[in-house]
DNA sequence: CAGGTC
DNA sequence: GCTGG
């Protein structure tokens, strides 16, 4: 079915669609013929930006605004978060990057599958997973796949999950799907919880450690104080934040972080960057990945 | 060597 | 410990 594209005027609201979709927070978006195509829940839609206007089709405006968090006061976040020249420069470079409100289930499985792998490999196995077990959807003459539901993944064999390139993570994903589909674990419940409590709940799941929990809370549950620390963010902190949070950076000296060390780094980052620490994290993460590729 | 975890 | 880029 042909869908008419509608137009949303940003009217001064800062937004950069390309950076928002390319900064590594979300997977499975595809660029085709000048449009970005994405599947959110069971719904395919497309979107593109030309200057101060956002065009979209097969979706309503409120959904676009909600998904891309256009209601976040980015100017306020910038003022509140930019405590030093380094993070300020990252905000300037990628101004308009917004944290997306992802589907919690897909986000959870995405970041469980992301542990200790590079982004191309993550994209590949998430696509394979959707293609093998998700509902087939057609739009604009293209084929897309919804992300497989918990019920569906609970019925799939672990071996079938391994065939999607998930390696040993297949076991965690299978187990989590069973817990969620049976009702033993409820994702919706996390919505109303404060950050720390939701973090405690999530890390009960096998395959969900401190870092994965922070990603899910930041990208799907709008806990903007969550500060995921991965290898890239650890590099930024070591290189540029030793004088602002010395005790946290000292803990990054060795290899793997203990849960308590990870928690202290998060607490320091929240104390320093404030209630929107997650925004600082995403700007710094993307900045590090795009500008410092060759650094060890 | 990878958006860490058991 | 899997395993692809």
């Amino acid at each position: 079915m042909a869908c008419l594209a509608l137009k949303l005027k940003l009217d001064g609201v800062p937004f950069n669609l390309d950076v928002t979709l390319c900064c590594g927070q979300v997977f499975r978006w595809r660029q085709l013929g000048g449009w970005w195509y994405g599947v959110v829940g069971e719904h395919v839609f497309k979107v593109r930006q030309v200057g101060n206007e956002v065009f979209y089709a097969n979706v309503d405006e409120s959904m676009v605004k909600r998904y891309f968090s256009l209601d976040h006061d980015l100017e306020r976040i910038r003022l509140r978060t930019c405590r030093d020249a380094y993070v300020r420069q990252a905000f300037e470079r990628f101004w308009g990057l917004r944290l997306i409100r992802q589907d919690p289930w897909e986000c959870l499985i995405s970041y469980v599958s992301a542990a200790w792998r590079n982004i191309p490999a993550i994209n590949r196995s998430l696509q394979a997973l959707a293609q093998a077990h998700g509902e087939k959807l057609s739009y604009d003459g293209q084929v897309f796949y919804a992300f497989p539901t918990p019920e569906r993944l609970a019925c799939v064999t672990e071996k079938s999950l391994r065939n999607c390139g998930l390696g040993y993570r297949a076991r965690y994903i299978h187990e989590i799907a069973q817990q969620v589909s049976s009702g033993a674990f409820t994702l919706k419940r996390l919505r109303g919880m404060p950050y720390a409590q939701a973090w405690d709940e999530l890390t009960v799941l096998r395959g969900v450690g401190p870092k994965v929990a922070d990603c899910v809370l930041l990208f799907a549950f709008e806990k903007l104080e969550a500060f995921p620390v991965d290898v890239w963010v650890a590099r930024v902190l070591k290189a540029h934040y030793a004088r602002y949070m010395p005790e946290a950076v000292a803990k990054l000296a060795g290899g793997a972080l203990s849960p308590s060390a990870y928690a202290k780094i998060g607490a320091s980052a929240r104390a320093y960057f404030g209630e929107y620490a997650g925004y600082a994290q995403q700007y710094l993460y993307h900045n590090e990945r795009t500008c410092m590729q060759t650094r060890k």
Side-chain angles (χ1 to χ4, degrees):
Chain A
M1 65 180 154
C3 255
L4 194 64
L6 298 175
K7 181 166 68 178
L8 167 61
K9 291 193 177 185
L10 289 169
D11 231 0
V13 171
F15 180 52
N16 187 324
L17 177 66
D18 289 345
V19 173
T20 296
L21 290 176
C22 290
C23 71
Q25 62 178 318
V26 68
F27 306 96
R28 295 208 321 127
W29 277 83
R30 283 164 34 196
Q31 212 164 11
L32 292 166
W35 290 88
W36 283 102
Y37 287 81
V39 184
V40 178
E42 305 286 305
H43 199 78
V44 190
F45 66 93
K46 65 178 178 181
V47 60
R48 73 187 175 113
Q49 179 174 17
V50 181
N52 202 32
E53 295 176 334
V54 175
F55 298 87
Y56 58 94
N58 210 34
V59 63
D60 54 53
E61 182 179 298
S62 63
M63 169 68 179
V64 171
K65 287 181 172 173
R66 179 176 165 70
Y67 184 72
F68 292 109
S69 302
L70 296 182
D71 55 319
H72 288 171
D73 187 345
L74 204 52
E75 185 60 33
R76 172 186 158 80
I77 290 168
R78 184 181 71 81
L79 290 171
R80 181 82 174 81
T81 308
C82 288
R83 301 282 310 279
D84 58 82
Y86 194 75
V87 66
R88 192 175 305 124
Q89 159 266 141
F91 265 78
E92 280 168 19
R93 197 192 304 269
F94 302 114
W95 185 235
L97 186 167
R98 284 172 184 275
L99 292 171
I100 288 173
R101 288 189 177 95
Q102 297 185 38
D103 172 70
W105 168 248
E106 176 166 354
C107 185
L108 172 61
I109 298 305
S110 296
Y111 281 96
V112 168
S113 85
W116 210 240
R117 294 201 305 168
N118 56 37
I119 288 184
I122 299 162
N123 272 314
R124 234 181 38 78
S125 57
L126 291 177
Q127 187 51 38
L129 190 63
Q131 194 159 337
H133 304 293
E135 189 189 337
K136 188 174 177 179
L137 306 167
S138 295
Y139 175 61
D140 252 10
Q142 303 282 335
V143 175
F144 301 87
Y145 295 90
F147 196 77
T149 62
E151 292 72 26
R152 170 68 190 183
L153 287 190
C155 297
V156 165
T157 62
E158 193 183 312
K159 184 177 186 330
S160 170
L161 294 179
R162 279 183 181 262
N163 287 341
C164 298
L166 292 163
Y168 60 86
R169 302 160 197 85
R171 184 180 163 192
Y172 305 141
I173 290 170
H174 187 246
E175 194 175 295
I176 291 170
Q178 290 181 325
Q179 290 171 274
V180 171
S181 68
S182 74
F185 190 91
T186 318
L187 278 167
K188 293 188 196 77
R189 203 165 36 92
L190 303 177
R191 185 81 61 187
M193 288 182 187
Y195 163 72
Q197 189 185 355
W199 190 93
D200 285 341
E201 293 284 334
L202 266 176
T203 49
V204 166
L205 296 171
R206 283 159 52 84
V208 180
K211 188 267 178 184
V212 172
D214 273 340
C215 287
V216 174
L217 292 173
L218 181 60
F219 301 139
F221 289 101
E222 212 184 347
K223 308 300 183 199
L224 301 183
E225 70 268 54
F227 191 85
V229 180
D230 68 343
V231 291
W232 296 95
V233 173
R235 280 173 205 160
V236 176
L237 295 180
K238 276 193 276 194
H240 303 282
Y241 286 88
R243 62 185 164 130
Y244 302 121
M245 29 181 136
E247 67 297 327
V249 169
K251 296 192 182 304
L252 293 166
L257 282 173
S258 71
S260 68
Y262 183 100
K264 284 180 182 170
I265 294 166
S268 299
R270 274 181 284 286
Y272 180 73
F273 290 114
E275 60 190 311
Y276 306 117
Y279 261 99
Q281 188 274 359
Q282 200 56 32
Y283 275 87
L284 292 171
Y285 170 81
H286 189 51
N287 185 58
E288 184 70 8
R289 277 181 47 82
T290 54
C291 305
M292 309 288 179
Q293 292 281 359
T294 54
R295 226 172 56 78
K296 162 63 180 129

